[in-house]
């Protein structure tokens, strides 16, 4: 034992001979670790693997450098089918003590037998798949996979437990008992195994015996005799020897025995080979079903992946198309700005105003926006008059939607023009957009007191009554032909 402070070899003293560190507690802790290791070893020797795992974990809790306890824990894990956990313990052990460590041999053996390691990995993956099948309700598929797993890795305790649990749910208690007895042969005191066996015993009313069968009972414990041998047993503290029975066999009895033997052989062939062949066919069919299910699942995953790629490609195409459209609009805006600038330079303000209406200022650069603002400031009135004129043409042609569009653009340039506001309000009214009409009439009331305000207020009251009644427009409510002449 070495000092945990300086690493020097310790003596029987409670203090380190090198650094003087008090090591009494360290010695007691390491003694406890060794004690738990010895008890764990005893448990492992009688195949009490669960108890051994618990004790060995306690040993490592007291002394994580206990190489023997860690190596033994890895062996116990491997014996219960937990190859990954076993390999983890051996790797840790090898890192702690790289030289003269039996864990290196365990790891080398496991790595050399690549096929066995691959089979163990596959059984663990299939066990996880079986667990998913149980959660999704596909218990029959899980049973088939678990049987195959246990044939490849017969030490996987978890596999026995899951298969027994499925049988318990399906109320096939004898099958569950058989599976749990196999698990008990691997680990005698596993709490899950014993709990499931207790459930089976309660449901069937029969106690499960985990001990091997013996001939005889009570004080008379016999041994199965061979033919022609005497039978010896103890009864009432006396040795009783029963000689073998002798029977004389006749020709008739011999023929009867031969005939009975042929009959028994034929029945055995019928009852053993035929069900075995049927089970083989069913097993192969179930394996094909599982294989097809796995293939379908993988194909479904590939299809979903392809759909996601298609959706991403469509999003990219849509984004590219939107960018192209925006670029085209921006190009058109710049072209209109150039045309407006040329007309403005030539003194044709009307043409410049008409073209400038189709320019979107938000798409212009800072320099281009300055040019637009300078042109717009000079021909603003011309543009407003053009828009108002175009709106009047649409209004009197009863194209109220187009009129609203022109009047709205003109109002953005001059919202103090009574004629413009009045025409826009009546356009909304005739287009049955009553709330917008009320809003514009209210602006007239606020800005133009007198007769104009009273006329606008009358329209507001009439429209509100119409909105409350939700009825059709039955009246003209003003001069529809020339609403702009109101004074």
């Amino acid at each position: 034992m070495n000092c945990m402070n300086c690493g020097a070899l310790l003596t029987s003293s409670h203090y380190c001979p090198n650094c003087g560190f008090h090591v009494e507690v360290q010695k007691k802790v390491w003694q406890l670790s060794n004690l738990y290791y010895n008890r764990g070893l005893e448990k492992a020797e009688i195949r009490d693997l669960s108890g051994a795992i618990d004790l060995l974990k306690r040993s490592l809790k007291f002394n994580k450098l206990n190489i023997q306890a860690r190596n033994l824990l890895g062996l116990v894990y491997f014996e219960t089918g937990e190859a990954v956990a076993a390999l983890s313990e051996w790797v840790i052990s090898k890192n702690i003590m790289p030289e003269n460590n039996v864990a290196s041999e365990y790891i080398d053996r496991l790595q050399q037998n690549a096929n066995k390691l691959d089979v163990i990995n596959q059984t663990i993956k299939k066990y996880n798949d079986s667990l998913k099948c149980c959660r999704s309700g596909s218990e029959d598929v899980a049973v088939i996979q678990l049987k195959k797993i246990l044939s490849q890795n017969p030490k996987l305790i978890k596999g026995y437990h899951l298969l027994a649990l499925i049988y318990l749910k399906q109320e096939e208690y004898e099958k569950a008992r058989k599976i749990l007895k196999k698990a008990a042969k691997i680990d005698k005191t596993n709490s899950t195994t014993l709990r499931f066996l207790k459930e089976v015993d309660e449901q069937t009313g029969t106690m499960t015996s985990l001990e091997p069968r013996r001939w005889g009972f009570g004080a008379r414990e016999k041994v199965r005799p061979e033919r022609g041998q005497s039978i010896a047993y103890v009864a009432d503290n006396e040795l009783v020897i029963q000689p073998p029975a002798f029977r004389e066999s006749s020709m008739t009895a011999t023929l009867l025995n031969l005939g009975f033997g042929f009959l028994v052989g034929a029945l055995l062939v019928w009852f053993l080979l035929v069900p075995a062949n049927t089970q083989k066919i069913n097993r192969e069919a179930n394996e094909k079903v599982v294989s097809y299910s796995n293939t379908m699942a993988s194909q479904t995953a590939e299809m979903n992946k392809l759909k996601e790629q298609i959706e991403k490609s469509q999003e990219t195409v849509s984004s590219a198309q939107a960018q192209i459209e925006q670029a085209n609009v921006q190009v058109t805006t710049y072209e209109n700005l150039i045309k407006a600038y040329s007309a403005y330079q030539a003194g044709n303000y009307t043409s410049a105003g008409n073209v400038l209406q189709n320019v979107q200022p938000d798409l212009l650069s800072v320099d281009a926006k300055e040019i637009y603002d300078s042109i717009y400031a000079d021909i603003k009135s011309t543009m407003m008059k053009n828009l108002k004129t175009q709106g009047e043409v649409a209004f009197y042609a009863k194209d109220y939607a187009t009129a609203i569009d022109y009047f709205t653009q003109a109002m953005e340039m001059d919202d103090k023009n009574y004629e413009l506001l009045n025409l826009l309000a009546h356009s909304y009214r005739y287009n049955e957009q009553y709330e917008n009409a009320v809003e514009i009439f209210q602006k007239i009331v606020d800005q133009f007191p007198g007769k104009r305000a009273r006329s606008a207020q009358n329209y507001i009251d009439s429209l509100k009554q119409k909105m409350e009644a939700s009825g059709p427009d039955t009246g003209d409510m003003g001069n529809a032909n020339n609403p702009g002449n109101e004074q």
Side-chain angles (χ1 to χ4, degrees):
M1 184 183 302
N2 296 327
C3 175
M4 62 182 296
N5 186 39
C6 66
L9 186 65
L10 298 178
T11 61
S12 58
S13 173
H14 293 327
Y15 295 92
C16 175
N18 184 38
C19 64
F21 188 74
H22 191 268
V23 294
E24 183 179 4
V25 175
Q26 177 189 347
K27 288 183 177 181
K28 289 183 178 180
V29 168
W30 284 32
Q31 287 173 359
L32 283 173
S33 176
N34 292 333
L35 176 63
Y36 281 122
Y37 163 72
N38 292 328
R39 291 182 178 179
L41 181 60
E42 293 174 358
K43 293 281 188 181
E45 288 175 347
I46 61 173
R47 298 203 68 82
D48 182 1
L49 302 184
S50 297
I53 289 173
D54 181 58
L55 291 170
L56 292 172
K57 283 184 176 179
R58 293 186 185 183
S59 174
L60 293 174
K61 186 176 181 181
F62 283 105
N63 181 13
K64 65 180 180 180
L65 302 179
N66 194 333
I67 300 300
Q68 292 180 334
R70 195 173 294 278
N71 291 341
L72 181 58
L73 180 60
L75 288 174
V76 176
Y77 275 140
F78 190 80
E79 189 65 19
T80 59
E82 300 288 344
V84 176
L87 193 59
S88 299
E89 296 297 333
W90 292 335
V91 169
I92 295 172
S93 174
K94 184 178 179 180
N95 289 332
I96 295 173
M97 190 175 73
E99 302 294 335
N100 300 324
N101 192 340
V102 71
S104 302
E105 182 180 351
Y106 297 153
I107 296 172
D108 293 340
R109 288 183 182 180
L110 195 59
Q111 291 177 344
Q112 288 173 2
N113 196 347
N115 293 331
K116 183 176 181 180
L117 187 59
D118 183 62
V119 168
I120 292 173
N121 291 332
Q122 291 298 325
T123 55
I124 294 173
K125 292 179 181 178
K126 290 180 180 178
Y127 171 80
N128 293 330
D129 293 338
S130 302
L131 196 59
K132 292 179 181 178
C133 290
C134 291
R135 291 172 178 170
S136 62
S138 304
E139 297 170 358
D140 295 336
V141 178
V143 169
I144 296 170
Q145 286 188 341
L146 287 170
K147 287 182 177 180
K148 188 173 181 180
I149 289 169
L150 294 177
S151 65
Q152 295 175 344
N153 188 4
K155 295 181 180 180
L156 188 61
I157 295 290
K158 293 180 179 179
Y160 289 108
H161 290 166
L162 184 57
L163 182 57
L165 189 61
I166 295 173
Y167 284 146
L168 286 173
K169 183 180 179 181
Q170 296 176 350
E171 297 184 355
E172 298 182 5
Y173 300 113
E174 292 304 325
K175 289 184 178 180
R177 192 199 306 273
K178 183 178 179 181
I179 292 297
L180 292 171
K181 290 179 73 174
K182 289 182 179 180
K185 290 181 180 179
I186 299 173
D187 187 1
K188 291 183 177 180
T189 61
N190 188 280
S191 59
T192 304
T193 303
L194 299 178
R195 185 170 68 252
F196 287 174
L197 279 174
K198 183 179 179 182
E199 178 69 20
V200 172
D201 294 344
E202 290 177 354
Q203 295 294 333
T204 59
T206 305
M207 295 297 294
T208 303
S209 175
L210 300 178
E211 298 295 331
R213 291 185 177 180
R214 296 180 181 274
W215 288 87
F217 56 89
R220 295 187 176 186
E221 185 173 350
K222 302 178 182 179
V223 179
R224 181 186 289 230
E226 299 292 336
R227 174 172 290 185
Q229 291 183 351
S230 300
I231 303 174
Y233 59 92
V234 178
D236 299 328
N237 296 325
E238 295 183 359
L239 178 63
V240 179
I241 301 176
Q242 181 178 343
F246 175 77
R247 292 182 181 179
E248 184 177 358
S249 177
S250 63
M251 181 62 67
T252 303
T254 302
L255 292 175
L256 288 174
N257 289 333
L258 288 174
F260 182 74
F262 285 128
L263 178 62
V264 171
L267 291 175
L268 286 174
V269 170
W270 175 259
F271 286 109
L272 294 179
L273 296 182
V274 173
N277 191 26
T278 303
Q279 289 179 359
K280 180 180 179 182
I281 294 172
N282 293 333
R283 183 173 63 254
E284 292 177 352
N286 291 329
E287 290 177 354
K288 289 183 178 179
V289 169
V290 173
S291 177
Y292 292 153
S293 299
N294 293 334
T295 303
M296 290 178 63
S298 61
Q299 290 178 352
T300 302
E302 289 294 331
M303 289 179 62
N304 293 333
K305 185 177 180 180
L306 291 174
K307 286 180 180 179
E308 291 178 357
Q309 292 178 355
I310 291 172
E311 290 176 356
K312 291 181 179 179
S313 299
Q314 290 176 348
E315 291 177 358
T316 304
V317 171
S318 299
S319 177
Q321 290 178 348
Q323 292 177 0
I324 292 171
E325 292 175 358
Q326 185 178 4
N328 291 334
V329 172
Q330 191 172 12
V331 170
T332 304
T333 295
Y334 275 101
E335 290 178 351
N336 291 329
L337 179 61
I338 293 171
K339 293 178 182 179
Y341 182 76
S342 299
Y344 174 75
Q345 292 291 332
N348 190 354
Y349 295 156
T350 302
S351 177
N354 292 333
V355 176
L356 206 62
Q357 294 175 16
N358 299 322
V359 175
Q360 298 185 20
D362 296 338
L363 301 179
L364 298 174
S365 63
V366 176
D367 296 335
K369 185 69 166 53
E370 291 179 356
I371 297 173
Y372 171 84
D373 291 340
S374 63
I375 299 174
Y376 178 80
D378 289 343
I379 64 173
K380 177 179 178 182
S381 59
T382 303
M383 290 178 62
M384 199 260 308
K385 290 178 182 179
N386 290 338
L387 291 170
K388 182 174 177 293
T389 301
Q390 292 174 358
E392 288 175 350
V393 172
F395 178 85
Y396 291 114
K398 296 185 178 181
D399 186 2
Y400 301 116
T402 304
I404 289 170
D405 183 46
Y406 284 122
F407 290 146
T408 302
Q409 294 182 50
M411 191 184 69
E412 291 177 357
M413 301 178 186
D414 186 6
D415 59 350
K416 306 296 183 182
N417 190 306
Y418 169 75
E419 291 182 1
L420 183 60
L421 293 174
N422 191 42
L423 287 169
L424 179 58
H426 284 289
S427 298
Y428 278 131
R429 182 169 70 88
Y430 290 128
N431 205 38
E432 297 183 354
Q433 299 181 22
Y434 300 135
E435 293 182 358
N436 294 333
V438 169
E439 181 182 353
I440 302 302
F441 278 126
Q442 186 62 45
K443 288 185 177 182
I444 295 175
V445 172
D446 296 337
Q447 297 181 17
F448 304 97
K451 183 179 178 180
R452 293 175 176 176
R454 289 192 297 272
S455 176
Q457 186 62 49
N458 291 334
Y459 282 116
I460 291 173
D461 296 338
S462 176
L463 290 173
K464 287 184 177 178
Q465 291 177 2
K466 183 175 290 189
M467 285 189 291
E468 291 175 358
S470 298
D473 188 0
T474 57
D476 193 14
M477 295 186 299
N479 186 2
N481 294 324
N482 191 9
N485 292 331
E486 296 174 1
Q487 300 296 328

